[in-house]
Amino acid sequence: MNTNYKLVMDKELDSIKKSGAKPTLLLHVCCAPCSSAVLEVLRTCFDITVFFYNPNISPEAEFVFRLDELKRLLPAMGLNEVSIVAPEYDYTEFADIVSGMEDLPEGGARCRKCYHLRIDKTFAYAAQNGFDYVTTTLSVSPYKNAQWLNEIGIELQEKYGVKYLCSDFKKGNGYKRSCELSKEFDLYRQNYCGCVYSKRDEV
């Protein structure tokens, strides 16, 4: 039976609130629309830095546009204190790890490889820079497998010694809220995840 990761997250957030602490969180983000609802949930509990690492996005102009939308969103939400870390774009990092999987359907093993690549890079940066927690916005999308995302996060917290904040941000109307905030802030909502295969399959 799959774990309800929203309940797991809610318990962790309650514990943090009761402690009076405000730990640091490196939040892997995929785009401004998904980030909006997640930031709204997490902003009171954490000192957040967003990590825009998405070598899967193609073409590069799309990567740049999504990053620019994220830069526009933060001050619009009153989150001027949230900084953005954006590693240099390199599509080959994604292409190399999914080589041989090009013909697989969207949502399958190729996507899990992509999740792992991006979350692993986030953990590596978090460990190098002393962050307390890591999580990702990816689970706010109804097209993303939250079970896989959390399994990867739990695995990598052992590898890197940084806590993973389990989550399923789509639950509790999280995806609906991201749509509402996108409309409020006039955000660009892309019609594909990012890679050429997701564009091909129009998911």
Side-chain angles (χ1 to χ4, degrees):
M1 185 173 69
N2 288 350
T3 301
N4 185 330
Y5 287 106
K6 183 182 184 303
L7 289 180
V8 175
M9 180 187 74
D10 288 346
K11 289 178 182 177
E12 185 72 8
L13 295 183
D14 284 344
S15 177
I16 291 169
K17 288 174 183 175
K18 288 175 182 175
S19 75
K22 198 169 187 182
T24 54
L25 169 71
L26 186 64
L27 176 64
H28 168 263
V29 302
C30 52
C31 63
C34 289
S35 302
S36 62
V38 174
L39 287 164
E40 192 174 64
V41 170
L42 301 179
R43 65 188 300 175
T44 60
C45 293
F46 295 100
D47 177 4
I48 301 171
T49 298
V50 298
F51 192 66
F52 189 82
Y53 174 66
N54 301 289
N56 57 306
I57 295 175
S58 180
E60 185 174 1
E62 177 77 11
F63 174 93
V64 171
F65 190 72
R66 294 190 196 187
L67 177 57
D68 286 345
E69 284 290 271
L70 181 63
K71 291 176 180 177
R72 185 171 68 83
L73 173 66
L74 295 178
M77 290 186 68
L79 292 168
N80 295 292
E81 76 282 4
V82 175
S83 59
I84 300 173
V85 176
E88 186 176 351
Y89 178 75
D90 184 357
Y91 187 76
T92 62
E93 293 180 344
F94 167 74
D96 288 348
I97 63 110
V98 300
S99 179
M101 308 176 82
E102 294 87 351
D103 294 332
L104 294 180
E106 184 69 4
R110 184 184 62 245
C111 291
R112 182 164 184 148
K113 279 268 193 179
C114 181
Y115 298 166
H116 195 284
L117 170 69
R118 291 188 279 170
I119 298 172
D120 186 274
K121 184 85 165 188
T122 307
F123 264 100
Y125 186 91
Q128 291 164 4
N129 291 277
F131 283 86
D132 299 312
Y133 283 84
V134 161
T135 199
T136 177
T137 62
L138 288 170
S139 71
V140 81
S141 168
Y143 301 111
K144 300 295 182 289
N145 188 317
Q147 184 73 25
W148 287 356
L149 291 166
N150 285 287
E151 288 172 358
I152 292 166
I154 291 166
E155 168 201 332
L156 292 174
Q157 75 177 352
E158 299 300 321
K159 175 181 176 181
Y160 287 102
V162 179
K163 292 181 183 177
Y164 181 72
L165 180 69
C166 291
S167 61
D168 191 349
F169 289 112
K170 73 176 70 65
K171 291 190 172 182
N173 290 320
Y175 177 68
K176 179 183 177 184
R177 182 60 179 155
S178 75
C179 294
E180 292 170 349
L181 289 168
S182 295
K183 185 175 181 180
E184 179 180 344
F185 296 113
D186 192 28
L187 298 175
Y188 161 67
R189 292 187 66 87
Q190 60 276 0
N191 61 0
Y192 69 108
C193 175
C195 74
V196 293
Y197 314 111
S198 63
K199 192 169 187 178
R200 174 193 67 194
D201 296 343
E202 295 183 344
V203 173

